[in-house]
Amino acid sequence: FKQQSFILLQVAFKMYLGVTPSVSCSSAAGNEFSLILDKNPLVDFVEELPAERASLCYCNLLCGVIRGALEMVHLAAEVTFLQDRLKGDAVTEIGITFLRKAEDRKHKRN
């Protein structure tokens, strides 16, 4: 994953959520990294998770958005929450692992 992509991620988060994540690479191969948000704006809409819903990952929407955006540029990735402020962690951390480059598919016109 190139430095330019990190900058694009940071700019996109700033534009759409008003926060700039820091990026932490976690593998020598460069196919895994984490986005770390000191402040998660989606947390402002939740007061407290009910005890019976403690396993709910309220901000999982972000993982879906990131995965979908990567799929749009033909990059298959696994995107998961590693830390969540709603569950008492100090930061929100989203882990991204690139699985493989998706094959380009040619569409036939009917």
Side-chain angles (χ1 to χ4, degrees), residues 17-63:
L17 293 174
V19 295
T20 303
S22 57
V23 180
S24 171
C25 291
S26 57
S27 75
N31 67 332
E32 294 181 29
F33 66 96
S34 292
L35 297 176
I36 300 169
L37 300 166
D38 293 327
K39 182 180 183 316
N40 182 350
L42 297 180
V43 171
D44 295 340
F45 298 103
V46 178
E47 292 182 16
E48 187 176 326
L49 291 175
E52 64 274 3
R53 303 283 188 224
S55 64
L56 178 67
C57 189
Y58 181 78
C59 298
N60 207 29
L61 166 77
L62 294 175
C63 292

Side-chain angles (χ1 to χ4, degrees), residues 2-104:
K2 298 180 180 178
Q3 186 65 25
Q4 296 163 343
S5 299
F6 292 139
I7 293 170
L8 287 174
L9 278 169
Q10 291 175 326
V11 169
F13 266 83
K14 183 69 174 173
M15 283 174 49
Y16 293 107
L17 293 174
V19 295
T20 303
S22 57
V23 180
S24 171
C25 291
S26 57
S27 75
N31 67 332
E32 294 181 29
F33 66 96
S34 292
L35 297 176
I36 300 169
L37 300 166
D38 293 327
K39 182 180 183 316
N40 182 350
L42 297 180
V43 171
D44 295 340
F45 298 103
V46 178
E47 292 182 16
E48 187 176 326
L49 291 175
E52 64 274 3
R53 303 283 188 224
S55 64
L56 178 67
C57 189
Y58 181 78
C59 298
N60 207 29
L61 166 77
L62 294 175
C63 292
V65 169
I66 293 168
R67 190 178 76 226
L70 290 170
E71 285 177 1
M72 293 301 291
V73 293
H74 304 288
L75 293 171
E78 180 179 310
V79 184
T80 57
F81 263 91
L82 303 176
Q83 295 184 63
D84 191 350
R85 291 187 69 135
L86 283 175
K87 298 188 179 182
D89 296 320
V91 295
T92 297
E93 181 178 0
I94 302 170
I96 301 173
T97 303
F98 290 105
L99 303 174
R100 68 189 183 315
K101 185 172 180 176
E103 296 85 28
D104 291 334

